Amino acid sequence: MLALPKDRFASDCRRELVQLHTTLKQELLAASGSEKKQAALLVELRACEEAIKRIDNGYFGLCKVCGEAIELNRLKAEPTTSCCLSCESKN
């Protein structure tokens, strides 16, 4: 059985996010002593974890504000995003 393009995209994103998560954790350990860098890395790490959860729970690609689909190009550029362009511009 072939995976749907959407499923394949989510699977590819998950794999990339897991790799990013590992890299961010390593960078966090290496950044000891720099609170500002650690804080920025923690924000990225949490965004990565949340995106992985959305993939696992079947909500990846859906805006957390309006529930509509997030633009594919936006997801490709920033797979950790949780809002569509319309909702993001309102904030």
Side-chain angles (χ1 to χ4, degrees), residues 18 22 25 29 31 36-40 42 44 47 49 56 59 76 83-84:
V18 167
T22 300
K25 285 188 348 185
L29 290 172
K36 191 173 184 178
K37 174 118 176 146
Q38 285 179 327
L42 280 172
E44 287 186 68
E49 291 168 351
D56 292 346
Y59 294 106
K76 286 180 179 178
C83 292
C84 67

Side-chain angles (χ1 to χ4, degrees), residues 21-61:
H21 189 268
T22 300
T23 301
L24 290 170
K25 285 188 348 185
Q26 291 169 347
E27 288 181 22
L28 185 61
L29 290 172
S32 63
S34 174
E35 290 182 26
K36 191 173 184 178
K37 174 118 176 146
Q38 285 179 327
L41 288 167
L42 280 172
V43 169
E44 287 186 68
L45 195 59
R46 287 186 188 118
C48 189
E49 291 168 351
E50 290 301 315
I52 292 169
K53 285 180 190 176
R54 286 192 302 276
I55 291 171
D56 292 346
N57 294 329
Y59 294 106
F60 182 72

Side-chain angles (χ1 to χ4, degrees), residues 7-17:
D7 294 338
R8 180 176 290 149
F9 176 69
S11 177
D12 291 346
C13 283
R14 189 182 196 292
R15 185 173 41 257
E16 290 175 21
L17 288 164

